[in-house]
Amino acid sequence: MSSKKAVLFEKFIEVRWSDCDANRHMRHTAYSDLCAHTRVCFLSDIGLGEVWTQEHNIGPVLFKEETEYKREVHMGEQLNITLETGEATGFTKSIQMVQHLYKEDGELAATHRCVVAWMDLSLRKIVQLPAQISANFVV
């Protein structure tokens, strides 16, 4: 297991009623949704938001996504979702992002990992990583 990486970005999000399931805890797909929202906010924060995507006709695409659940999360709880660089993917045109979801007391609720690349939206082909990504992630 690798050592903890530096946090590149974090977002605090309240768990909504619509994030929960019949067991009265956060549903599995809500973890993915909240992590995706946090990643989009990170990309916007480093200059790779919607305007950049439109100007360059390039957008992020997921190759793999997985979540390891540690603790239940309930409606009304505040989560701190962090984003860190992950391990090298073995492919120079993709990166791994690791996100941790922490409860208000600091307890780890889940770890989410995904492999992301950037695609030319006209050619539908994977392209080189944007410079803002290469500067922050292990390639």
Side-chain angles (χ1 to χ4, degrees):
M1 180 170 257
S2 65
S3 61
K4 185 173 176 167
K5 309 283 182 158
V7 173
L8 297 174
F9 187 80
E10 66 182 334
K11 185 157 190 70
F12 293 86
I13 300 176
E14 181 180 353
V15 177
R16 305 163 301 174
W17 175 79
S18 60
D19 296 323
C20 297
D21 63 18
N23 292 326
R24 297 185 318 230
H25 61 205
M26 197 160 84
R27 60 184 165 76
H28 67 285
T29 54
Y31 288 83
S32 181
D33 291 343
L34 295 181
C35 286
H37 177 65
T38 302
R39 287 193 305 274
V40 168
C41 291
F42 166 72
L43 293 175
S44 182
D45 191 59
I46 63 169
L48 298 177
E50 182 64 25
V51 171
W52 184 93
T53 296
Q54 288 177 358
E55 288 174 354
H56 292 84
N57 201 38
I58 296 169
V61 62
L62 288 176
F63 284 163
K64 180 180 180 179
E65 186 174 29
E66 65 183 4
T67 306
E68 183 178 354
Y69 307 97
K70 302 288 191 178
R71 295 289 179 257
E72 283 187 301
V73 176
H74 300 95
M75 184 176 69
E77 286 192 75
Q78 184 87 3
L79 292 174
N80 178 16
I81 304 173
T82 63
L83 187 143
E84 304 167 7
T85 181
E87 301 297 322
T89 64
F91 180 50
T92 61
K93 293 182 180 178
S94 67
I95 57 160
Q96 182 184 77
M97 292 182 176
V98 177
Q99 294 176 266
H100 294 98
L101 295 88
Y102 294 99
K103 294 167 71 81
E104 291 177 74
D105 64 3
E107 186 174 21
L108 180 64
T111 299
H112 187 83
R113 290 180 178 79
C114 62
V115 175
V116 184
W118 272 257
M119 178 172 69
D120 182 304
L121 299 175
S122 295
L123 299 175
R124 312 309 285 181
K125 303 257 185 213
I126 301 302
V127 297
Q128 295 291 70
L129 295 169
Q132 298 93 319
I133 293 297
S134 296
N136 287 296
F137 287 85
V138 177
V139 180

PDB file of all heavy atoms in Angstrom, residues 6-10 42 45-46 82-85 136-137:
ATOM      1  N   ALA A   6      -0.504  14.067  -1.160  1.00  0.00           N
ATOM      2  CA  ALA A   6      -0.981  15.394  -0.784  1.00  0.00           C
ATOM      3  C   ALA A   6      -2.362  15.641  -1.384  1.00  0.00           C
ATOM      4  O   ALA A   6      -2.629  15.253  -2.519  1.00  0.00           O
ATOM      5  CB  ALA A   6      -0.004  16.460  -1.283  1.00  0.00           C
ATOM      6  N   VAL A   7      -3.222  16.271  -0.639  1.00  0.00           N
ATOM      7  CA  VAL A   7      -4.564  16.604  -1.115  1.00  0.00           C
ATOM      8  C   VAL A   7      -4.450  17.761  -2.110  1.00  0.00           C
ATOM      9  O   VAL A   7      -3.901  18.815  -1.798  1.00  0.00           O
ATOM     10  CB  VAL A   7      -5.492  16.978   0.064  1.00  0.00           C
ATOM     11  CG1 VAL A   7      -6.833  17.492  -0.435  1.00  0.00           C
ATOM     12  CG2 VAL A   7      -5.688  15.779   0.983  1.00  0.00           C
ATOM     13  N   LEU A   8      -4.967  17.546  -3.320  1.00  0.00           N
ATOM     14  CA  LEU A   8      -4.951  18.577  -4.347  1.00  0.00           C
ATOM     15  C   LEU A   8      -6.184  19.487  -4.264  1.00  0.00           C
ATOM     16  O   LEU A   8      -6.142  20.636  -4.679  1.00  0.00           O
ATOM     17  CB  LEU A   8      -4.922  17.936  -5.739  1.00  0.00           C
ATOM     18  CG  LEU A   8      -3.700  17.084  -6.078  1.00  0.00           C
ATOM     19  CD1 LEU A   8      -3.887  16.407  -7.423  1.00  0.00           C
ATOM     20  CD2 LEU A   8      -2.444  17.934  -6.066  1.00  0.00           C
ATOM     21  N   PHE A   9      -7.283  18.918  -3.734  1.00  0.00           N
ATOM     22  CA  PHE A   9      -8.551  19.652  -3.723  1.00  0.00           C
ATOM     23  C   PHE A   9      -9.460  18.996  -2.698  1.00  0.00           C
ATOM     24  O   PHE A   9      -9.352  17.790  -2.446  1.00  0.00           O
ATOM     25  CB  PHE A   9      -9.195  19.561  -5.122  1.00  0.00           C
ATOM     26  CG  PHE A   9     -10.427  20.401  -5.295  1.00  0.00           C
ATOM     27  CD1 PHE A   9     -10.336  21.759  -5.541  1.00  0.00           C
ATOM     28  CD2 PHE A   9     -11.685  19.825  -5.242  1.00  0.00           C
ATOM     29  CE1 PHE A   9     -11.473  22.536  -5.724  1.00  0.00           C
ATOM     30  CE2 PHE A   9     -12.830  20.589  -5.418  1.00  0.00           C
ATOM     31  CZ  PHE A   9     -12.718  21.945  -5.666  1.00  0.00           C
ATOM     32  N   GLU A  10     -10.347  19.776  -2.110  1.00  0.00           N
ATOM     33  CA  GLU A  10     -11.357  19.202  -1.222  1.00  0.00           C
ATOM     34  C   GLU A  10     -12.642  20.006  -1.325  1.00  0.00           C
ATOM     35  O   GLU A  10     -12.623  21.195  -1.633  1.00  0.00           O
ATOM     36  CB  GLU A  10     -10.875  19.108   0.218  1.00  0.00           C
ATOM     37  CG  GLU A  10     -10.639  20.413   0.904  1.00  0.00           C
ATOM     38  CD  GLU A  10     -10.105  20.237   2.326  1.00  0.00           C
ATOM     39  OE1 GLU A  10     -10.352  19.204   2.947  1.00  0.00           O
ATOM     40  OE2 GLU A  10      -9.449  21.169   2.797  1.00  0.00           O
ATOM     41  N   PHE A  42     -12.853  20.413  -9.148  1.00  0.00           N
ATOM     42  CA  PHE A  42     -11.384  20.472  -9.193  1.00  0.00           C
ATOM     43  C   PHE A  42     -10.916  20.900 -10.582  1.00  0.00           C
ATOM     44  O   PHE A  42     -10.065  21.790 -10.710  1.00  0.00           O
ATOM     45  CB  PHE A  42     -10.784  19.113  -8.822  1.00  0.00           C
ATOM     46  CG  PHE A  42      -9.330  18.982  -9.167  1.00  0.00           C
ATOM     47  CD1 PHE A  42      -8.363  19.660  -8.449  1.00  0.00           C
ATOM     48  CD2 PHE A  42      -8.927  18.175 -10.222  1.00  0.00           C
ATOM     49  CE1 PHE A  42      -7.009  19.553  -8.772  1.00  0.00           C
ATOM     50  CE2 PHE A  42      -7.583  18.054 -10.548  1.00  0.00           C
ATOM     51  CZ  PHE A  42      -6.626  18.750  -9.827  1.00  0.00           C
ATOM     52  N   ASP A  45     -11.454  24.439 -11.108  1.00  0.00           N
ATOM     53  CA  ASP A  45     -10.539  25.204 -10.263  1.00  0.00           C
ATOM     54  C   ASP A  45      -9.145  25.338 -10.891  1.00  0.00           C
ATOM     55  O   ASP A  45      -8.483  26.349 -10.698  1.00  0.00           O
ATOM     56  CB  ASP A  45     -10.437  24.528  -8.891  1.00  0.00           C
ATOM     57  CG  ASP A  45      -9.733  25.382  -7.858  1.00  0.00           C
ATOM     58  OD1 ASP A  45     -10.211  26.503  -7.601  1.00  0.00           O
ATOM     59  OD2 ASP A  45      -8.704  24.926  -7.314  1.00  0.00           O
ATOM     60  N   ILE A  46      -8.718  24.336 -11.663  1.00  0.00           N
ATOM     61  CA  ILE A  46      -7.386  24.402 -12.286  1.00  0.00           C
ATOM     62  C   ILE A  46      -7.455  24.868 -13.743  1.00  0.00           C
ATOM     63  O   ILE A  46      -6.478  24.762 -14.489  1.00  0.00           O
ATOM     64  CB  ILE A  46      -6.618  23.065 -12.181  1.00  0.00           C
ATOM     65  CG1 ILE A  46      -7.326  21.940 -12.937  1.00  0.00           C
ATOM     66  CG2 ILE A  46      -6.365  22.707 -10.726  1.00  0.00           C
ATOM     67  CD1 ILE A  46      -6.474  20.667 -13.081  1.00  0.00           C
ATOM     68  N   THR A  82     -12.021  14.602  -0.520  1.00  0.00           N
ATOM     69  CA  THR A  82     -10.708  15.045  -0.968  1.00  0.00           C
ATOM     70  C   THR A  82     -10.380  14.418  -2.320  1.00  0.00           C
ATOM     71  O   THR A  82     -10.955  13.404  -2.709  1.00  0.00           O
ATOM     72  CB  THR A  82      -9.612  14.664   0.038  1.00  0.00           C
ATOM     73  OG1 THR A  82      -9.528  13.236   0.136  1.00  0.00           O
ATOM     74  CG2 THR A  82      -9.883  15.277   1.402  1.00  0.00           C
ATOM     75  N   LEU A  83      -9.440  15.020  -3.012  1.00  0.00           N
ATOM     76  CA  LEU A  83      -8.954  14.497  -4.283  1.00  0.00           C
ATOM     77  C   LEU A  83      -7.439  14.497  -4.236  1.00  0.00           C
ATOM     78  O   LEU A  83      -6.827  15.507  -3.896  1.00  0.00           O
ATOM     79  CB  LEU A  83      -9.465  15.357  -5.439  1.00  0.00           C
ATOM     80  CG  LEU A  83      -9.170  14.814  -6.825  1.00  0.00           C
ATOM     81  CD1 LEU A  83     -10.322  15.099  -7.757  1.00  0.00           C
ATOM     82  CD2 LEU A  83      -7.888  15.358  -7.393  1.00  0.00           C
ATOM     83  N   GLU A  84      -6.861  13.346  -4.554  1.00  0.00           N
ATOM     84  CA  GLU A  84      -5.410  13.171  -4.556  1.00  0.00           C
ATOM     85  C   GLU A  84      -4.987  12.475  -5.833  1.00  0.00           C
ATOM     86  O   GLU A  84      -5.798  11.847  -6.509  1.00  0.00           O
ATOM     87  CB  GLU A  84      -4.985  12.289  -3.369  1.00  0.00           C
ATOM     88  CG  GLU A  84      -5.430  12.794  -2.021  1.00  0.00           C
ATOM     89  CD  GLU A  84      -5.262  11.767  -0.919  1.00  0.00           C
ATOM     90  OE1 GLU A  84      -4.684  10.685  -1.153  1.00  0.00           O
ATOM     91  OE2 GLU A  84      -5.724  12.051   0.197  1.00  0.00           O
ATOM     92  N   THR A  85      -3.717  12.557  -6.125  1.00  0.00           N
ATOM     93  CA  THR A  85      -3.169  11.805  -7.248  1.00  0.00           C
ATOM     94  C   THR A  85      -3.048  10.336  -6.844  1.00  0.00           C
ATOM     95  O   THR A  85      -2.779  10.033  -5.690  1.00  0.00           O
ATOM     96  CB  THR A  85      -1.807  12.382  -7.690  1.00  0.00           C
ATOM     97  OG1 THR A  85      -1.334  11.640  -8.797  1.00  0.00           O
ATOM     98  CG2 THR A  85      -0.793  12.370  -6.577  1.00  0.00           C
ATOM     99  N   ASN A 136       0.161  17.955 -12.142  1.00  0.00           N
ATOM    100  CA  ASN A 136      -0.288  17.531 -10.813  1.00  0.00           C
ATOM    101  C   ASN A 136      -0.305  16.029 -10.567  1.00  0.00           C
ATOM    102  O   ASN A 136      -0.374  15.594  -9.423  1.00  0.00           O
ATOM    103  CB  ASN A 136      -1.710  18.060 -10.550  1.00  0.00           C
ATOM    104  CG  ASN A 136      -1.745  19.542 -10.297  1.00  0.00           C
ATOM    105  OD1 ASN A 136      -1.191  20.018  -9.326  1.00  0.00           O
ATOM    106  ND2 ASN A 136      -2.376  20.281 -11.178  1.00  0.00           N
ATOM    107  N   PHE A 137      -0.293  15.226 -11.622  1.00  0.00           N
ATOM    108  CA  PHE A 137      -0.511  13.790 -11.484  1.00  0.00           C
ATOM    109  C   PHE A 137       0.661  12.960 -11.968  1.00  0.00           C
ATOM    110  O   PHE A 137       1.399  13.365 -12.856  1.00  0.00           O
ATOM    111  CB  PHE A 137      -1.774  13.370 -12.245  1.00  0.00           C
ATOM    112  CG  PHE A 137      -3.029  13.812 -11.560  1.00  0.00           C
ATOM    113  CD1 PHE A 137      -3.541  15.080 -11.772  1.00  0.00           C
ATOM    114  CD2 PHE A 137      -3.701  12.973 -10.695  1.00  0.00           C
ATOM    115  CE1 PHE A 137      -4.694  15.501 -11.131  1.00  0.00           C
ATOM    116  CE2 PHE A 137      -4.841  13.368 -10.039  1.00  0.00           C
ATOM    117  CZ  PHE A 137      -5.342  14.637 -10.260  1.00  0.00           C
TER     118      PHE A 137
END
